[in-house]
Amino acid sequence: MGLLPIFGTCFTRPNQVRIRSYLTALVLSCLVPVCLSSVYLVHHSYQNQFTYLEQNLLATANILSVALDRDLSISQASLEALATSPALATGDLATFHAQTLNVLKNFSDSDIILADATGQQIVNSYKPFGSTLPKRGSLDTVRRIFETGKPIVSNVFKGAVTGRYVIGIDVPVFQDGQVRYDLGMTLPADRLLALLHPQEMPDKRLVTILDSGNTIVARSNMPELYVGKQIVSPPLLQLMAVANHGTTEGFNLEGERSTVSFKRSEVTGWTVLVSSPKAIMVNALKQWLQWTIGSLSVLLAFGLGMAFVITRIIARSVQDLIAPALALGRGETVLPKHFELTETNEVAKALLLAGNLLQEQESARKEAENALKQMNETLEIMIAERTAQLVFANETLQKNETQLRSFIEQAPASLAMFDTEMRYLGVSRRWLSDYGLENRDLLGISHYEIFPEISEEWREAHRRGLAGELLQAEADRFERVDGTVQWVRWVIQPWINIAGQIGGILIFTENITNTIKADELLKASLAEKEVMLKEIHHRVKNNLQVISSLVSLQADNLTDERTREEFDDVCDRIRSMALIHEKLYQTDDLARLDFADYAISLLKYLWSSHDVLAEKVNLNFALVPVTLTIETAVPCGLILNELAGNALKHAFPDSRNGEVTVGLEHNSASDTACLWVRDNGVGLAPGLDWRQSSSLGLRLVQILAGQLHGTVETGTGTGAEFRVTFPLKGLQS
């Protein structure tokens, strides 16, 4: 309730609250947080305004510090440019004196001095050339120039000749890599006042420039009294000792309490002070605060007055609703009336509409009572008819269940019907016979009670069937109740009850134990034949190796080199066929082999058996896996042996270096394979028709390609290339 009980006791008797109290509490609930927020915001804004003034002082000090650095940098740059004058290099000091006067046109009331290492002035723009000149007053600056060779900006001091407060800027003059002179410029301290006057300084702000020794160089107010004096404000000196910039409070030289911001230049070490009297800053903030509080007070008074007027209008409009509401309660007709507020007017219209609706509802209630009485009579008749139908349907259902059980029992297949709890609803005699249950009455008994050790796989199949899946298996292991192992083919299908829901599952099984045993005998027979076929491949390989060895021994006894080469070719051909049987013996597939793997083994053997010829010939492969039957692999192996052997023997005469590349490609679109051999040797003789060659190897290649129903083509370019393309005819695996 918040403030509502308090205001309620003020305007009416206990335990009752008038709407005007609620509205007044609502207004105060809105205004009090706003007033508190306004007070906080005013206080916060006051602090921000004071902080802003301090930041503005510091920003002004930063700007003036940058301007001071820029002005001194311009003077230093002019001196550095003058230090490179050719007149100094040649010793023409009269010309140099004239040049200094020309430079000083841009620096009014300034002097340029040239001194040697002892501090003796050689040229002084303030005196005519040739005048007798004293030594420099700042001998320490001269010494530092010659020691460091770097420019120096001095603190404020009185000139030895002019007697004015000046600032010294000294730069070294180099000759042959050594400091030869000290070139300095003395600027009048009041020159820096030009930096202060263009700046707009509100609130009677004072600007003071200090050198690195905290001596006043320039001041915007009465510089003639304070230039050359030390700053003596302890709070300011303490803060300047630990920071390059900041803001503090203290008394200025005129004795006024002021806020001071400073910024020390990192280039010259000089400091710019900007101060404003504290009283002026406080008066400005007070004026702003008075204006803000006055504006808020006027707005608050106006808001309270408007709230009072509005609450009276709302309260009067709500009270005017009492008479129509009482008339509605008495059942009288509510007369239309216009109210001041839209909401109150809508409530009055709603009261009028409610009166009409109540009359209509009373008439509708009487009509509904009559209709309900008639409906009850009709329902009693329908219930009697439905009861008779259910009795007839129940008798029909019992008859159908009896017929279904009889059908399942007489079914020639192994069939059982289960409910959702896997209880038997019907079972065929074949089922009882297959599972050793001939003399058991299974109706109403759980399948898991009869077979308690049934496997989890069968239980999962039952669950999936009850979930609505149709399942089947071609072969599954099952134990009869007597422990005999059976193999069955089964189908599990859900059945739908009269309510359209899954009522259970039907299981059809077929005993395939005899078929499984026959398959096992057949597999054993096939395994024996595979062992026998492997043994045949092994023996054929051994016999071919024996033949190869006999031919090789016979070749060792021959003296005719050509005959020996022919015998060696025969050995290679026999070895290519023996290798096929060796590969077939080593694989599980006794009728097919990977020709790419076979080709690599064959060619490595060929290169190792002709080690002298193959010593400088590199062997490369570009083979894709292609599986061939033994009928196709034997001629392909002989072709590969002939083409690779010819390249090794004839393509590189006189022990030349070279390479032979063997490739195997498969074109899936035309179902063909391409076996090719390429070398970069001397190539075929010009004009040679290799198809008419008397070479046994090339004729053998043509004959074997014909057996494969393939073609032989030669390539163009460097060396020789033979390509044998043949159809796979579905023999690729």
Side-chain angles (χ1 to χ4, degrees), residues 397-411 417 424-428 443-444:
L397 182 59
Q398 291 178 353
K399 181 179 179 181
N400 291 339
E401 288 180 353
T402 302
Q403 292 177 350
L404 179 60
R405 289 197 181 103
S406 177
F407 169 76
I408 294 175
E409 182 180 355
Q410 301 298 327
M417 183 177 183
Y424 281 92
L425 298 179
V427 61
S428 67
L443 297 181

Side-chain angles (χ1 to χ4, degrees), residues 356-393:
N356 297 332
L357 289 176
L358 286 175
Q359 294 178 358
E360 294 176 358
Q361 288 176 359
E362 180 65 19
S363 301
R365 184 182 64 80
K366 294 180 179 179
E367 294 178 358
E369 288 178 352
N370 295 331
L372 182 60
K373 183 177 180 181
Q374 295 177 359
M375 185 179 295
N376 287 335
E377 295 174 354
T378 304
L379 283 176
E380 290 176 356
I381 297 173
M382 293 177 63
I383 289 172
E385 294 177 352
R386 185 62 175 171
T387 301
Q389 291 176 358
L390 289 175
V391 171
F392 176 76

Side-chain angles (χ1 to χ4, degrees), residues 16-79:
Q16 290 185 349
V17 183
R18 300 181 63 183
I19 190 171
R20 184 176 296 177
S21 301
Y22 278 102
L23 294 175
T24 304
L26 175 62
V27 172
L28 292 178
S29 299
C30 295
L31 289 179
V32 169
V34 172
C35 292
L36 294 177
S37 300
S38 299
V39 172
Y40 171 76
L41 290 175
V42 168
H43 175 73
H44 185 68
S45 298
Y46 177 84
Q47 297 294 333
N48 286 344
Q49 285 289 332
F50 195 83
T51 303
Y52 168 75
L53 293 175
E54 291 182 344
Q55 292 176 347
N56 186 262
L57 287 177
L58 184 58
T60 303
N62 287 332
I63 293 172
L64 293 176
S65 178
V66 172
L68 175 62
D69 287 345
R70 182 175 64 249
D71 187 74
L72 295 177
S73 296
I74 292 172
S75 302
Q76 180 178 317
S78 299
L79 278 181

Side-chain angles (χ1 to χ4, degrees), residues 79 82-83 96 112-115 169-173 181-185:
L79 278 181
L82 184 61
F96 180 74
I112 296 178
I113 302 170
L114 182 68
I169 301 176
D170 292 78
V171 300
V173 178
Y181 299 108
D182 170 21
L183 180 61
M185 177 186 290

